[in-house]
Amino acid sequence: MPSPTWSLPRVAIVTGGGAGIGAAVSLRLAADGAAVAVLDLDGDSAARTAAAIEGAGGTAISVECDVADLTSIEAGVATTVDKLGHPTILINNAGISPFERFLEISRESFDRVMAVNLRGTFEFCQLVIPHMIEQGWGRIVNVSSSSAQTGNFGHTHYSASKAAVIGLTKSLAREFGRKGITVNAIAPSFIETPSLHRAADGGHLGGGIEEHIPTTPVRRVGQPEDIAAACAFLCRDDADYFTGQLLGVNGGRVIV
Ligand code: NAD
C-alpha cells in the first residue's frame, strides 16, 4: 500500500530479520507500509518476525536463507519477487561477530566472517539492484559497525569485514545514484540484542551491559528500535539526497 513514507508500494528484503536489529527493522518498515521479506538462517525466527508483522496488520513473508550461500541468496530473492514483487528496499543486516584473538583466528573463521558480513552483502546487492534499476528507485542500507570506525579488541576479522562494507557502500552510491538508488551504511554501537548479550556472557564487554551506561553520553543502552528508526529514515522517498553516507547510531559513544 502507498504510505506517507512512500508514494508507491514498496517491497523490502531484510537479512537476519529473525532477531535483534533485523527483527526491529522488519517491524518498522512494515509499520511504515512496506511489504517485508524477512530472511534469516534461522527459519523459525524469521517466521516469528513475519507473524508479528502480520499480527499487527502488515504484510510479510519469511524465508530461511543463509547469506553466505549464493544459491540460498538467489532462492531468497526469487521467493520475494514471486510472493511480494520487485524488491526496492534492501537491508543487509545479517552478521556474525565472533570474538577471537588475532593470532588465533583460523583461515576458516576469517573466511566465514567475510562470507557472511561482506560477500553476502555484495551478492545481495548484485541480485537486487537490477530490480531497483527496473523500478527506477531503490534504497540500500548496509549494517556496518562502530568497530569499523574505532577497531575493537578481539575483532580484527569482524572490524575488517565491516570496514569493507563501508567501502562497498560508498562505491555503490557513486555508481547507482543516477538510477534513483541510494546506498548508505549504519554503524551501530552497543545495541541490546541477543548478540550483545552473548558478548556480555562471554566476558567480552569489560563488564555487564548496564555498566556501560555511565560512559554513554545519552545515558542508556541502545535498542534495536534505534537502528530501525535510522534505517526507516534512510529508506524514505524524501531521503533521496542522502547517499554514500555512514550514519553512526551509538548514543554518542563514538563521535568522529
Ligand atoms: P544477532 O546475532 O542478535 O542477530 C543476527 C541475526 O542474523 C540472527 O537472527 C541470525 O540468525 C541471523 N544470521 C546470522 N548469520 C546469518 C546468515 N549466514 N544468514 C542469514 N542470517 C544470519 O545480531 P544483532 O546484534 O541484531 O546484529 C545485527 C547486525 O548489526 C550485524 O550485522 C551486526 O554485526 C551489527 N551490529 C550490531 C551491534 C550491536 O551492538 N548489537 C553493533 C554493531 C553492529
Side-chain angles (χ1 to χ4, degrees):
M1 287 284 291
S3 71
T5 309
W6 298 293
S7 60
L8 294 171
R10 297 297 179 197
V11 174
I13 289 177
V14 181
T15 70
I21 290 169
V25 169
S26 299
L27 286 157
R28 173 62 192 261
L29 293 178
D32 286 355
V36 180
V38 182
L39 275 53
D40 203 291
L41 185 60
D42 178 348
D44 291 339
S45 70
R48 282 195 291 277
T49 301
I53 290 172
E54 297 256 312
T59 302
I61 60 167
S62 64
V63 186
E64 188 174 311
C65 176
D66 180 358
V67 305
D69 178 57
L70 181 56
T71 307
S72 186
I73 296 173
E74 287 169 341
V77 174
T79 303
T80 303
V81 173
D82 186 42
K83 295 195 173 163
L84 298 177
H86 292 290
T88 50
I89 297 172
L90 172 62
I91 315 298
N92 285 304
N93 163 77
I96 54 172
S97 53
F99 283 89
E100 296 171 296
R101 297 289 182 98
F102 177 64
L103 294 179
E104 291 159 14
I105 295 174
S106 66
R107 182 169 244 226
E108 289 69 29
S109 180
F110 177 88
D111 285 349
R112 179 72 189 165
V113 167
M114 289 295 166
V116 174
N117 295 357
L118 177 60
R119 196 184 64 206
T121 298
F122 183 92
E123 290 180 336
F124 260 102
C125 290
Q126 273 194 330
L127 286 171
V128 173
I129 283 175
H131 294 278
M132 297 175 169
I133 291 172
E134 196 179 311
Q135 302 299 305
W137 189 94
R139 298 281 183 271
I140 298 175
V141 180
N142 296 323
V143 179
S144 177
S145 170
S146 62
S147 298
Q149 300 170 290
T150 63
N152 196 23
F153 191 95
H155 255 169
T156 47
H157 45 2
Y158 175 75
S159 304
S161 72
K162 292 297 190 177
V165 164
I166 297 170
L168 170 67
T169 300
K170 292 182 177 185
S171 300
L172 285 174
R174 289 190 184 277
E175 194 164 334
F176 292 102
R178 71 201 72 179
K179 302 288 185 188
I181 300 168
T182 68
V183 190
N184 293 289
I186 291 177
S189 175
F190 224 80
I191 305 296
E192 190 172 8
T193 65
S195 154
L196 192 73
H197 278 282
R198 282 194 299 275
D201 294 346
H204 301 296
L205 300 185
I209 291 174
E210 305 291 316
E211 288 173 56
H212 287 260
I213 293 175
T215 54
T216 301
V218 304
R219 296 292 189 272
R220 69 173 175 85
V221 178
Q223 295 302 315
E225 291 73 20
D226 295 315
I227 307 303
C231 209
F233 161 69
L234 292 171
C235 292
R236 291 176 60 94
D237 273 339
D238 60 7
D240 65 337
Y241 202 57
F242 203 106
T243 194
Q245 304 304 309
L246 176 67
L247 195 56
V249 184
N250 55 44
R253 293 172 59 85
V254 180
I255 299 178
V256 289

